[in-house]
Amino acid sequence: MSYRHAISYALKRLWHHRFLALNLAFGLLIAVALATTIPVYADGIHASVLQSSLAQNAPGQPFDFIFRYVGSWHEPVRKDQYQPVDQYLSHQAISTFGLPGQDVMRYVATVNLQLYPLTKTLSPATRLERVKLVFLSDVFAHVRLIEGRLPRSIYESNGKVEILVALDLANALDLQVGKTYTLFLPASGPTPAYRKDIVITGIWVASDPQEAFWAIYPADSFQKKLLVQEDTWWSATEPIPTAVDEAAWQLALDGSSITSERVPDLLARIGQVQNRAAALLPHTDMERSPVAALREYRSKAQALTGSLFAFSVPVLGLTLFFLILSAGQLVRSQHSEIAVLRSRGARRTWILVVYLCEWSVLGLAAWLLGLPAGLLLAGLVGRTQSFLDFSNLPAFTSHLGFQAATLGLATIVIGIACCLIPVWQLGRDTVLSYKQERARIRRTPLWQRLYLDAACLLPALYGWYTLRSQGRISVLGRAVGNTDPYQNPLLFLLPALFLLGCGLLTIRLLPHILNVLAALSARLPGVTLPYVLRQFARSGGAYQGVLLLSICTVGLAVFVASEASSLDRTAQDSIY
């Protein structure tokens, strides 16, 4: 039999056993949803925390980048030295970051210039103050005029340099709107002295000194800075060879779509922009960025994902066990068909390929449906107030990332691999060996021969003993984890291990208990009760899996409900 025929045969079998197949597909869908929920929730909740912490720790937008060059620490630069880095940061850097850009703010200031009243001869005795000539993008939309009007461009003012002066400086120096003053810079070496007349057109204060606009420089730092239009600044400072003493760029980006899996690439891009800016203009520093917060966010998101997976091990284990039971039920119902195929020459791997094709179709459907189900479940977890209480407002916006989709796909692969185990086991039988197997007395299950129930109960009981006697879980006198139930998964895993051990022990003892009850009931009149009890005792393998799943599921549900109630009471007691 060729493997090409195995695919068409698999699709026909899938339709023929569609109801059992739907049961298996449902289990795979639940597994994908649970596996997807954990990284989506961890990523979303820490992304929300990241945005909040950035907004609290720094004014402005959470994803603001501020680059600054300070000439007083190094040396002022010429226009041709300034323009390449300005062009890069103003137009190209945002695309390098790979995030949507919201705004770019630019700031440039001269060296300290001497301010004089308008006179033919300048004397140190008449000097008013040292000031800087400054332009700042969109600054005039964020100031309130106390007197006068906004300055015009030098091309609109017939070559006059019109400026705004801060209220505090105007009051201190008695500066008047409409009057002309002089800026002066003494000669230095071969550079001649600089002199420029300016006209004060208005006096200003910040509309709101606390708003995000003033993140690049506080509003009160502009008290000795004269505000002009950008083209006026370049025209007025043209005689100064190294006019740019201070330069700053603020890039406001939209980081709402950031997820933990994008952080490494974003950090690399930030480093690329930082290195490029410093190469174009040495000593251009990235003064503010979310780099530290991004690194902390990624590490915390990964830690939370690991912790949540540790907490979810029992639930994922139950889901996987359900898949194995469903697959075993499906395969056992087709045991005789498998035996016939083997007797007619079908190889064991051919039968395995048939089932792999069937369950791959189911897995693909479960993966496609399980991903949106995981997003919905993560949103529901984000709204959780307490146990089965979803009254909170949404804590974050769910985003499906590559990591979550990959985990969902890995869950499908693991689930199908586990489901193929009974196919490989039963695929060795021909018709003859199948009939012999049915007549043979079944061996004791492997887990009973390995005493898996005792292996589960002993560490769980030891952990309970150390927790009760020492107040924390310890091994050979050394503490394992802490006592915080939100940070130590062992406080949740050990009870789950205890439930599994109790379930296995119950299954081990139940046939003997049923035999004793059957012997006692035989003394009573009637045959129904002894027959039922003996039938259960003899056919233990038929119900053991379902019974174990029921014990663990009900026990885990009761434990989780009890733990949630205890944690709620503890939280209330600590608050009130």
Side-chain angles (χ1 to χ4, degrees):
M1 297 183 180
S2 67
Y3 290 106
R4 183 183 60 186
H5 295 149
I7 298 176
S8 59
Y9 179 66
L11 296 177
K12 292 178 182 177
R13 280 166 47 90
L14 190 62
W15 174 252
H16 183 68
H17 299 284
R18 54 188 178 274
F19 295 109
L20 286 174
L22 284 176
N23 189 37
L24 184 62
F26 177 74
L28 289 171
L29 188 150
I30 295 299
V32 172
L34 289 174
T36 304
T37 298
I38 294 171
V40 169
Y41 172 77
D43 216 37
I45 200 69
H46 273 295
S48 177
V49 173
L50 172 69
Q51 300 285 345
S52 301
S53 63
L54 286 175
Q56 291 174 1
N57 295 335
Q61 298 297 322
F63 274 79
D64 276 3
F65 293 81
I66 293 181
F67 295 84
R68 200 182 305 278
Y69 177 83
V70 182
S72 58
W73 295 350
H74 307 288
E75 59 182 9
V77 295
R78 302 184 307 274
K79 181 179 179 179
D80 63 312
Q81 292 175 293
Y82 164 82
Q83 284 181 328
V85 67
D86 178 63
Q87 180 72 18
Y88 175 73
L89 291 176
S90 300
H91 300 94
Q92 302 171 27
I94 290 181
S95 61
T96 305
F97 282 125
L99 295 175
Q102 295 180 333
D103 191 21
V104 177
M105 188 185 304
R106 299 158 56 244
Y107 166 94
V108 174
T110 62
V111 296
N112 283 321
L113 303 174
Q114 299 176 15
L115 179 65
Y116 290 89
L118 182 62
T119 58
K120 291 183 178 181
T121 303
L122 303 180
S123 170
T126 60
R127 188 179 69 190
L128 299 175
E129 185 58 271
R130 292 181 182 272
V131 296
K132 290 188 174 187
L133 199 62
V134 169
F135 83 77
L136 176 62
S137 303
D138 202 30
V139 66
F140 300 123
H142 299 271
V143 302
R144 179 167 58 89
L145 289 176
I146 303 300
E147 184 181 352
R149 60 173 174 80
L150 295 175
R152 295 173 296 176
S153 166
I154 196 169
Y155 304 111
E156 299 173 351
S157 61
N158 296 323
K160 293 181 180 180
V161 178
E162 298 184 347
I163 69 162
L164 281 188
V165 63
L167 177 62
D168 289 348
L169 184 65
N171 289 338
L173 303 179
D174 194 24
L175 303 179
Q176 302 295 321
V177 172
K179 293 188 66 174
T180 302
Y181 296 84
T182 300
L183 294 177
F184 178 73
L185 182 65
S188 175
T191 304
Y194 167 80
R195 179 171 177 164
K196 178 66 67 173
D197 292 340
I198 59 173
V199 179
I200 298 177
T201 63
I203 299 174
W204 69 277
V205 294
S207 300
D208 180 7
Q210 305 301 320
E211 70 174 320
F213 175 81
W214 302 105
I216 192 168
Y217 276 109
D220 56 8
S221 69
F222 285 80
Q223 299 308 315
K224 296 183 180 181
K225 295 177 181 178
L226 310 180
L227 297 179
V228 296
Q229 298 278 0
E230 180 177 355
D231 53 359
T232 301
W233 192 96
W234 288 112
S235 177
T237 60
E238 187 174 358
I240 305 176
T242 54
V244 180
D245 182 61
E246 269 186 281
W249 299 263
Q250 180 178 1
L251 284 64
L253 307 180
D254 180 8
S256 59
S257 61
I258 287 296
T259 59
S260 61
E261 61 194 31
R262 292 188 60 188
V263 169
D265 178 63
L266 179 58
L267 291 174
R269 289 171 178 268
I270 292 173
Q272 181 181 347
V273 172
Q274 186 177 11
N275 294 335
R276 180 60 177 163
L280 292 172
L281 180 59
H283 309 296
T284 300
D285 299 323
M286 187 171 66
E287 185 178 277
R288 198 179 80 194
S289 73
V291 168
L294 285 171
R295 287 174 178 157
E296 183 181 8
Y297 154 65
R298 182 169 182 252
S299 63
K300 286 187 175 180
Q302 290 177 338
L304 180 60
T305 301
S307 298
L308 289 176
F309 266 114
F311 281 111
S312 302
V313 164
V315 178
L316 292 173
L318 287 176
T319 305
L320 188 60
F321 187 47
F322 171 78
L323 286 175
I324 294 175
L325 285 180
S326 300
Q329 181 183 8
L330 178 62
V331 174
R332 280 194 298 272
S333 68
Q334 300 167 352
H335 193 178
S336 59
E337 184 179 347
I338 294 173
V340 171
L341 289 173
R342 288 281 288 136
S343 298
R344 291 182 177 180
R347 288 183 294 181
R348 208 170 174 183
T349 53
W350 188 88
I351 296 174
L352 200 67
V353 169
V354 169
Y355 279 93
L356 180 61
C357 293
E358 289 184 30
W359 293 343
S360 295
V361 173
L362 298 178
L364 179 61
W367 184 63
L368 294 176
L369 296 176
L371 294 180
L375 287 177
L376 293 175
L377 191 57
L380 194 64
V381 174
R383 296 173 60 97
T384 302
Q385 173 72 24
S386 180
F387 184 69
L388 295 181
D389 181 1
F390 309 107
S391 58
N392 268 353
L393 294 175
F396 58 89
T397 302
S398 300
H399 295 285
L400 181 63
F402 178 77
Q403 181 187 22
T406 304
L407 282 172
L409 188 61
T411 303
I412 291 292
V413 172
I414 294 173
I416 292 178
C418 293
C419 292
L420 289 174
I421 294 175
V423 177
W424 183 256
Q425 291 175 339
L426 300 181
R428 67 178 182 271
D429 292 334
T430 61
V431 173
L432 181 60
S433 62
Y434 169 64
K435 294 184 178 296
Q436 291 175 346
E437 179 69 22
R438 289 177 60 88
R440 187 181 299 128
I441 299 176
R442 295 185 179 274
R443 295 181 61 190
T444 304
L446 179 63
W447 66 265
Q448 289 190 14
R449 299 199 301 272
L450 296 177
Y451 292 95
L452 186 60
D453 47 354
C456 292
L457 285 172
L458 289 178
L461 291 173
Y462 178 78
W464 172 79
Y465 169 75
T466 58
L467 185 63
R468 187 176 180 85
S469 60
Q470 303 177 20
R472 62 172 54 207
I473 299 175
S474 62
V475 178
L476 300 178
R478 300 184 63 180
V480 179
N482 52 38
T483 57
D484 187 353
Y486 296 105
Q487 298 182 8
N488 190 356
L490 285 177
L491 297 174
F492 183 76
L493 293 178
L494 284 179
L497 193 64
F498 178 77
L499 288 172
L500 176 60
C502 288
L504 293 174
L505 183 62
T506 300
I507 292 175
R508 179 190 291 273
L509 298 178
L510 190 58
H512 304 291
I513 296 174
L514 291 175
N515 282 327
V516 172
L517 292 177
L520 294 176
S521 64
R523 301 176 181 275
L524 301 175
V527 297
T528 303
L529 185 58
Y531 174 78
V532 170
L533 292 174
R534 291 190 184 279
Q535 181 65 21
F536 270 116
R538 291 172 180 172
S539 59
Y543 62 80
Q544 284 182 357
V546 176
L547 181 60
L548 179 61
L549 181 64
S550 301
I551 291 173
C552 292
T553 303
V554 174
L556 192 62
V558 172
F559 168 71
V560 170
S562 175
E563 183 184 39
S565 177
S566 300
L567 292 175
D568 285 347
R569 287 198 302 270
T570 301
Q572 291 175 1
D573 291 343
S574 63
I575 295 174
Y576 302 107

